[in-house]
Amino acid sequence: MSFLAKKTISKWCAASGLALMVGFSQHAYSQAADAVTQFKSFLVNVKNAEGDFSQQQIRPARQGEAQPKVLRKSQGHFVFQRPGQFVWETKKPFEQKVIADGKQLLLWDKDLNQLTSRPAGQGLAASPAAILFGNTSVDEHFDLVAGEDKGGIQWLELKPKASQPKKDIPYSRIGVGMKDGLPVGLELHDNFGTIVLINLSKIKTNITLDAQTFKFSAPTGAEVFKVK
């Protein structure tokens, strides 16, 4: 496998924390509705959505550092449709797309002119992306625990069940922030102390989507790699 292919897969793994991750509803909610109630209602009532995201990856402060360090920032646009279809498009600082069409998970890197694909397997089914975009029952993989109200955003924590294989979920803690029935933030903690923070905005739900939204073909001349 070429160096560029390895680089792409490495970037994919870093982004898949995504990496990959969000959703929403425009029902009116009183402040009395806790985050778990709002989240469950969103999963049932919102069939598709689109919006913008901004993302930060932060590591703990090391010896001699006064504050945690922001490793990278990115921003872009997302679209999803249940079951299991989404586009997570990073626009800054580089152009990259993660696309799930229900059968494959694709990564397009414009700078490398490279497309990498892999099957959308069970690992994706239990990922943060599928929590918000998929059709699997969140209750199968996580215990939902209501958290605090911070600045008008009500938080819940998704705790992986003891029976859930550790390899399927790269995070030790997953927080979801809800406001007016919409997930507006994600907080993802891995086992090394790194935190991924994702803010979601300009969300439109249950919209009409083009049939080609979740289809993608590499441009002529691009490198294409398939990972099994």
Side-chain angles (χ1 to χ4, degrees), residues 10 15 30 35 37-38 81 89 91-92 99 117 146 163 172 182 210-211 216 224:
S10 175
S30 69
T37 300
Q38 293 188 48
Q81 179 165 277
E89 182 177 8
K91 296 183 177 181
K92 295 180 179 180
I99 305 121
S117 69
S163 59
S172 58
L182 306 176
D210 188 276
F216 184 82
V224 179

Side-chain angles (χ1 to χ4, degrees), residues 15-66:
S16 67
L18 182 331
L20 292 178
M21 319 177 172
V22 260
F24 325 92
S25 150
Q26 293 185 340
H27 300 299
Y29 280 85
S30 69
Q31 288 298 322
D34 67 26
V36 172
T37 300
Q38 293 188 48
F39 184 62
K40 287 184 174 181
S41 181
F42 148 71
L43 292 176
V44 171
N45 293 316
V46 176
K47 305 307 179 185
N48 66 44
E50 69 173 346
D52 293 340
F53 71 87
S54 61
Q55 179 173 320
Q56 297 183 72
Q57 185 178 12
I58 303 170
R59 65 156 172 79
R62 294 175 178 172
Q63 186 175 2
E65 295 178 339

Side-chain angles (χ1 to χ4, degrees), residues 23 122 191:
Q122 182 61 28
N191 294 317

Side-chain angles (χ1 to χ4, degrees), residues 9-216:
I9 293 172
S10 175
K11 289 174 69 176
W12 189 352
C13 292
S16 67
L18 182 331
L20 292 178
M21 319 177 172
V22 260
F24 325 92
S25 150
Q26 293 185 340
H27 300 299
Y29 280 85
S30 69
Q31 288 298 322
D34 67 26
V36 172
T37 300
Q38 293 188 48
F39 184 62
K40 287 184 174 181
S41 181
F42 148 71
L43 292 176
V44 171
N45 293 316
V46 176
K47 305 307 179 185
N48 66 44
E50 69 173 346
D52 293 340
F53 71 87
S54 61
Q55 179 173 320
Q56 297 183 72
Q57 185 178 12
I58 303 170
R59 65 156 172 79
R62 294 175 178 172
Q63 186 175 2
E65 295 178 339
Q67 298 179 344
K69 182 177 181 179
V70 177
L71 299 178
R72 58 179 60 89
K73 295 181 179 180
S74 61
Q75 62 187 63
H77 188 77
F78 70 87
V79 186
F80 84 86
Q81 179 165 277
R82 304 190 198 281
Q85 294 179 298
F86 65 84
V87 177
W88 185 267
E89 182 177 8
T90 300
K91 296 183 177 181
K92 295 180 179 180
F94 54 83
E95 294 186 41
Q96 187 181 73
K97 285 186 180 183
V98 180
I99 305 121
D101 61 10
K103 297 180 180 180
Q104 298 181 94
L105 187 64
L106 308 174
L107 171 69
W108 166 245
D109 190 305
K110 183 177 179 180
D111 290 344
L112 297 179
N113 195 29
Q114 190 174 90
L115 178 68
T116 307
S117 69
R118 61 175 294 178
Q122 182 61 28
L124 178 62
S127 72
I131 291 169
L132 298 169
F133 301 140
N135 63 339
T136 58
S137 173
V138 172
D139 292 338
E140 291 180 9
H141 304 291
F142 302 93
D143 293 318
L144 308 184
V145 181
E148 299 179 353
D149 183 321
K150 299 179 181 180
I153 298 176
Q154 293 179 310
W155 287 83
L156 70 149
E157 183 175 351
L158 281 65
K159 293 186 175 182
K161 291 183 179 293
S163 59
Q164 183 65 42
K166 300 298 183 183
K167 64 181 179 62
D168 287 348
I169 303 176
Y171 301 103
S172 58
R173 292 179 57 198
I174 300 173
V176 181
M178 302 292 301
K179 184 175 183 179
D180 298 329
L182 306 176
V184 294
L186 290 163
E187 186 175 308
L188 311 169
H189 298 249
D190 69 17
N191 294 317
F192 302 99
T194 302
I195 302 172
V196 176
L197 301 177
I198 301 174
N199 294 318
L200 310 171
S201 62
K202 299 181 180 178
I203 300 161
K204 298 178 182 179
T205 66
N206 295 332
I207 57 180
T208 300
L209 295 175
D210 188 276
Q212 301 301 309
T213 298
F214 306 102
K215 298 184 183 298
F216 184 82

